[in-house]
Amino acid sequence: MESYALLLAATLNAGTVLALAALGLLINEKAGIVNLGAEGMMLCAAIAGFAVVVHTGNDWLGFAAGMGAGALLAAVFGWLVIWLGTNAYATGLALSLFGAGFSAFAGIAYVQAKLPERTQWVVPLLGDIPLLGPALFRQHPLVYLTVALTVGLIVWLGRSRSGLILRAVGESPESAHALGYPVRRIRFAAVLAGGALCGLAGAYLSVIYTPLWVEGMVAGKGWIALALTTFATWRPARVLLGAYLFGGVTMLQFHLQSSGVALASQFLNMLPYLATIVVLALISRNPAWIRLNMPASLGRTFTPGA
């Protein structure tokens, strides 16, 4: 039973990385912007956060540096796509390629670097509960903040005026512009927020989840986060559930390997990506369901007065 508790704890840890990035991309897409640059933003944020923690010993400064790096790259993406009208898909792919190359170059000096001793986080009293304590109540605070962020997004998107305006921009930017809302500025703000959350995911990956720096360490998690938004049909609660599902599949491969299951390691390594493909294939069988939940202007450029 103890092994299953540890598996659940590792699932929550791994799912947090995916959930943070996917929630950021969901904010982008709710505003009608598709950003394929999550992988690059997460990589640059991972090295930025890791480097700051190496030099300061403060995890939260590392998270702030990661969010700043993600937001900075997202700002460049937003300027190119929203104001200059470049193709969002090509620009996002370029951002991913840039992030992979730049992070590899910037991280050369940190490959062998080590972080300070980690603090063991335990929720008082609850952390001592047999089985449930190690599984649920000995996580980093950011795990619980991610759950709170999900709840906050649900309330904000569904009940607040600014959240409804963001959704209106994603559904019909022309109508929102006619009502006097600054569509491009709203989209840019959404892109910045999405980039900051992708950056936080990258910093969490290198500072808490691993914790170390290795070139290309994001290893496709940015693409899985992008797929999660479709898998979740653009709903925050489903994003969180999907992140834990894929995080569980990722951890399951290590659990099976340690249990001596006679399966090729290559097959186990591809399990998370295989699960992504299978889920998306099942969802795509009902395109009407996707269209019902997908922001109507997703991927469409908007130019005032055009």
Side-chain angles (χ1 to χ4, degrees), residues 17-18 39 42 205 209 217-226 273:
V17 176
L18 295 172
E39 189 85 0
M42 290 175 69
L205 178 66
Y209 179 68
M217 66 183 301
V218 174
K221 291 180 177 63
W223 299 110
I224 292 181
L226 185 66
Y273 309 100

Side-chain angles (χ1 to χ4, degrees), residues 26-278:
L26 181 140
I27 294 173
N28 286 357
E29 296 186 10
K30 280 292 187 181
I33 300 294
V34 178
N35 187 352
L36 302 184
E39 189 85 0
M41 290 189 292
M42 290 175 69
L43 279 167
C44 288
I47 182 56
F50 185 82
V52 167
V53 176
V54 166
H55 292 295
T56 67
N58 189 308
D59 290 355
W60 298 100
L61 287 178
F63 295 151
M67 293 180 72
L72 177 62
L73 291 174
V76 175
F77 169 86
W79 175 66
L80 290 171
V81 171
I82 298 171
W83 265 275
L84 299 187
T86 61
N87 183 279
Y89 299 99
T91 306
L93 287 172
L95 180 58
S96 274
L97 294 173
F98 169 81
F102 181 79
S103 63
F105 172 75
I108 292 174
Y110 295 94
V111 173
Q112 301 295 330
K114 293 183 179 180
L115 296 180
E117 287 295 322
R118 304 285 86 197
T119 300
Q120 181 63 46
W121 297 93
V122 180
V123 178
L125 300 179
L126 296 178
D128 297 325
I129 299 175
L131 297 180
L132 286 180
L136 301 178
F137 303 114
R138 296 185 182 181
Q139 302 286 345
H140 189 274
L142 202 54
V143 174
Y144 309 116
L145 290 175
T146 301
V147 177
L149 174 64
T150 303
V151 175
L153 272 178
I154 294 171
V155 175
W156 181 66
L157 289 171
R159 297 182 179 274
S160 72
R161 183 173 182 270
S162 56
L164 293 173
I165 291 172
L166 179 76
R167 290 171 56 191
V169 167
E171 292 295 331
S172 178
E174 295 82 6
S175 299
H177 177 70
L179 291 173
Y181 294 115
V183 171
R184 293 199 290 187
R185 279 188 286 169
I186 292 171
R187 283 186 161 182
F188 188 72
V191 167
L192 287 181
L197 285 177
C198 285
L200 182 57
Y204 183 86
L205 178 66
S206 63
V207 174
I208 302 298
Y209 179 68
T210 7
L212 51 82
W213 165 254
V214 177
E215 179 182 341
M217 66 183 301
V218 174
K221 291 180 177 63
W223 299 110
I224 292 181
L226 185 66
L228 269 177
T229 58
T230 304
F231 164 71
T233 59
W234 296 272
R235 297 184 181 182
R238 293 182 183 178
V239 164
L240 186 66
L241 179 62
Y244 290 150
L245 172 63
F246 290 123
V249 174
T250 302
M251 291 299 103
L252 181 62
Q253 63 173 306
F254 301 119
H255 180 74
L256 292 176
Q257 288 174 344
S258 64
S259 301
V261 175
L263 286 174
S265 61
Q266 292 83 357
F267 177 79
L268 294 175
N269 289 337
M270 76 180 188
L271 276 180
Y273 309 100
L274 181 62
T276 305
I277 294 171
V278 170

